[in-house]
Amino acid sequence: MRRRIWASVAALALAATLTACTSANDGLVEQYQQGGGQGFISGDGRVQEIPVDQRGAAVDFSGTAVDGSTVTSADYADTVLVMNFWYAGCGPCRAEASALEDTYQTVSAKGARFLGVNIYDGPEQATAFEQTYGITYPSLIAKEDADLKLAFVDWTPLQSVPITLVLDKQGRVAARFIGQIESGSILRTVVDDVLAETS
């Protein structure tokens, strides 16, 4: 009986603590309280653009792509890079896939590049997703790559995918899309603006 009482008290304390949190993880807290296990938070699609003089240091990363090759931030030097964080079981990730691919096809001709970061799946699942949704740009596999995840910890609450970052030609985060990209037009506009910036 005493154990049951203590378990109830602990559960109430945890719920109260989670309820008191006000952060980007509020959706995750709500899912926890409701018993949801979907593994993602459907964000509100908001865009955060960062003025040039307020951007932090360049993001330095290295990882293994779906095809087994090594990819690093140095491969994208002097290039505007769009990075999309996703995984195959994420509904919003599936919903935004065509908008991302369409945008990639448009802006790649202007010099921008795309790179996905799959946070949960292995190469087989990631490849199947890419084939199903016609994704032609590469993705890194971050499932067991703590260093890759840490490289983006300041910008990507990984429990809140999808997240899309736009890095400028110096490798700094210039914009962040939180949640599903509903239309490629806004992303294209942001990418075009960053491409137009002087070095």
Side-chain angles (χ1 to χ4, degrees):
M1 182 67 176
R2 186 174 295 173
R3 286 182 183 175
R4 288 182 187 171
I5 292 172
W6 279 112
S8 297
V9 170
L12 288 172
L14 176 60
T17 301
L18 290 173
T19 302
C21 294
T22 54
S23 69
N25 298 331
D26 284 349
L28 188 63
V29 172
E30 184 177 342
Q31 285 177 18
Y32 175 85
Q33 291 172 333
Q34 295 176 355
Q38 62 190 28
F40 63 84
I41 296 172
S42 182
D44 59 8
R46 69 181 181 266
V47 183
Q48 175 191 12
E49 294 186 80
I50 304 164
V52 174
D53 61 354
Q54 295 177 25
R55 294 173 193 166
V59 180
D60 184 21
F61 67 88
S62 177
T64 302
V66 173
D67 65 5
S69 63
T70 298
V71 176
T72 74
S73 49
D75 297 326
Y76 299 95
D78 301 317
T79 304
V80 173
L81 176 64
V82 178
M83 301 191 73
N84 175 252
F85 293 77
W86 66 282
Y87 71 97
C90 160
C93 301
R94 296 193 296 268
E96 72 177 4
S98 61
L100 288 167
E101 177 63 22
D102 290 346
T103 304
Y104 167 65
Q105 293 296 333
T106 299
V107 301
S108 61
K110 303 174 185 179
R113 297 174 72 183
F114 271 50
L115 180 66
V117 180
N118 185 300
I119 65 169
Y120 287 141
D121 304 319
E124 291 182 3
Q125 287 176 294
T127 298
F129 180 96
E130 292 172 349
Q131 292 174 345
T132 299
Y133 293 96
I135 302 299
T136 59
Y137 54 84
S139 279
L140 303 178
I141 298 295
K143 182 178 180 181
E144 297 177 1
D145 191 337
D147 289 339
L148 178 57
K149 292 178 181 179
L150 284 172
F152 294 95
V153 71
D154 290 336
W155 295 103
T156 56
L158 293 181
Q159 73 277 14
S160 301
V161 296
I163 295 283
T164 302
L165 305 179
V166 179
L167 277 58
D168 65 16
K169 295 176 183 178
Q170 289 74 47
R172 305 169 300 179
V173 176
R176 175 172 66 168
F177 291 74
I178 300 172
Q180 177 185 334
I181 292 176
E182 301 288 347
S183 166
S185 61
I186 296 174
L187 178 58
R188 286 194 298 273
T189 298
V190 171
V191 172
D192 284 343
D193 288 346
V194 178
L195 280 167
E197 293 174 357
T198 56
S199 299

